[in-house]
Amino acid sequence: MTGRDVSHTVESVPLARLPSGRTVETLLHRYRGDPSGPTVYLQALQHGGEVNGAAVLRRLHERLRNTTLDGEVLAVPVANPFAFDHRVYMSPTRLDAINSNMNRIWPGDPAGTLMERLVDSLWQRAKDADAIVDLHTGGPYMCSHTRFTSGDSRSKELAEAFGVELLVEDGSPVSNPANGGQGKIREVAAAAGIPAITPELAHSREIVESAVESGVSGIEDVLREMGVLDGPVPDHEPTVGTDKQSVFIEESGLFRSTTVSVGDRLQAGTEIGEVFDPTSFERLQTVRTERKGLLLSLNRGSTVMEGESVGSLISIEGE
């Protein structure tokens, strides 16, 4: 490895112009080592409450400034200032009623809606990278896992390097979301030939030390896998899940889960909860799994509407 000491610079990225004339910007951190090496693009906070990603990049910042790199790392800690500043998951619909979910409209459109223009500004920085890591958090009742795009073997290798115990194969390459597909950055990157992964760390709206350290070590191992950082990548033998399926309910009321936990391997027909009428106390529905699989997520208890998802299962590769 021919790594050089890191040069750190900060770029202000204009994202949108508001009716007041004020330009909304975010910051991109650039860590330069040997220019002959690969470039890795990192981002966090596409969704406003997923705060552990920003905490990961803050801690990684201190480590990257005190090492040598063979290549370059770009990091955007707050990809969506609108959602973050309003403390909501997606951008407020009063700003963009058409495209409030940022992670459904990549690669964006410089002549589109406000959020499409914001996404385009970031895609211009990400599209020339050799790999992308898009940090998310899945909430307290979801197994921490890393998602990679189906059919993209290099993305799977980066997901394995990241080092969490569970990988989820999800989605497909999407070159133009207007023609079908969800327009997630990971899927758009796959269509552009850029391996990309989406780590879903534990907990939203709360900085959790174990999740932060898991994210930092995971990114460092991805950088080692890419040859940007020196050193071997630890061997991991993760479980691989496919074919994610949501568990929907048919009745409105209050949902109460059983003693099952995320990460459990369940058989078809396993009871995972009930929906009851809060006024008559009547049990309206017993919620059961329709197939066997690993319980990826579970709503522990809340007001629910008929047709709503209260959890999800994935099939386990080889089982």
Side-chain angles (χ1 to χ4, degrees):
M1 182 171 177
T2 60
R4 297 181 184 174
D5 290 344
V6 171
S7 167
H8 171 246
T9 58
V10 179
E11 174 188 344
S12 183
V13 180
L15 298 177
R17 193 164 186 266
L18 299 181
S20 64
R22 184 171 66 91
T23 299
V24 176
E25 302 175 332
T26 195
L27 296 183
L28 180 147
H29 294 260
R30 191 182 298 269
Y31 308 87
R32 281 196 177 105
D34 190 315
S36 65
T39 297
V40 178
Y41 175 87
L42 316 172
Q43 71 174 17
L45 278 170
Q46 280 209 71
H47 298 135
E50 299 182 356
V51 296
N52 278 296
V56 166
L57 295 183
R58 179 185 185 226
R59 185 166 302 175
L60 185 71
H61 168 74
E62 297 301 327
R63 299 189 186 182
L64 290 180
R65 289 197 307 170
N66 295 289
T67 188
T68 59
L69 296 179
D70 193 354
E72 184 175 52
V73 177
L74 308 179
V76 178
V78 184
N80 187 347
F82 296 117
F84 180 66
D85 287 344
H86 285 82
R87 300 190 294 178
V88 292
Y89 178 74
M90 296 186 291
S91 301
T93 55
R94 67 177 67 93
L95 296 177
D96 191 336
I98 299 173
N99 295 305
S100 59
N101 191 342
M102 178 178 176
N103 202 26
R104 298 296 183 271
I105 54 173
W106 291 83
D109 183 350
T113 67
L114 180 141
M115 291 305 298
E116 286 177 319
R117 294 174 187 228
L118 181 155
V119 165
D120 173 72
S121 293
L122 294 177
W123 180 245
Q124 297 309 312
R125 275 77 181 174
K127 67 179 183 179
D128 295 323
D130 298 289
I132 292 174
V133 179
D134 180 32
L135 291 165
H136 287 255
T137 56
Y141 303 123
M142 175 180 279
C143 282
S144 294
H145 63 281
T146 299
R147 299 191 182 197
F148 66 95
T149 302
S150 299
D152 188 339
S153 59
R154 185 55 175 152
S155 290
K156 184 178 181 181
E157 291 172 351
L158 296 185
E160 290 171 344
F162 192 86
V164 296
E165 295 181 1
L166 178 65
L167 309 184
V168 175
E169 183 177 5
D170 176 62
S172 59
V174 174
S175 57
N176 183 356
N179 296 330
Q182 294 193 59
K184 297 178 181 178
I185 185 174
R186 173 171 48 82
E187 296 174 320
V188 169
I194 308 169
I197 60 173
T198 304
E200 295 275 3
L201 304 171
H203 297 283
S204 292
R205 304 188 183 280
E206 175 187 4
I207 294 177
V208 177
E209 180 63 26
S210 59
V212 173
E213 192 53 43
S214 174
V216 173
S217 63
I219 291 175
E220 287 177 331
D221 284 339
V222 167
L223 295 177
R224 293 185 181 101
E225 173 67 26
M226 292 295 298
V228 177
L229 278 179
D230 198 10
V233 179
D235 289 331
H236 300 294
E237 296 183 3
T239 298
V240 179
T242 61
D243 191 24
K244 178 175 171 288
Q245 182 185 73
S246 295
V247 179
F248 295 102
I249 49 97
E250 300 299 328
E251 302 287 346
S252 299
L254 284 175
F255 175 73
R256 174 181 175 273
S257 63
T258 64
T259 57
V260 296
S261 299
V262 293
D264 287 352
R265 284 170 163 78
L266 304 179
Q267 296 299 313
T270 301
E271 182 179 345
I272 65 170
E274 64 172 348
V275 179
F276 66 91
D277 187 318
T279 56
S280 69
F281 313 130
E282 174 188 4
R283 177 184 283 222
L284 302 175
Q285 181 185 354
T286 300
V287 184
R288 301 182 185 276
T289 58
E290 295 184 356
R291 67 175 199 194
K292 72 175 184 178
L294 182 146
L295 189 62
L296 181 66
S297 63
L298 180 66
N299 184 339
R300 274 296 175 191
S302 67
T303 306
V304 293
M305 292 285 291
E306 56 188 20
E308 186 175 343
S309 171
V310 293
S312 62
L313 287 171
I314 54 172
S315 300
I316 299 302
E317 195 174 78
E319 293 186 3

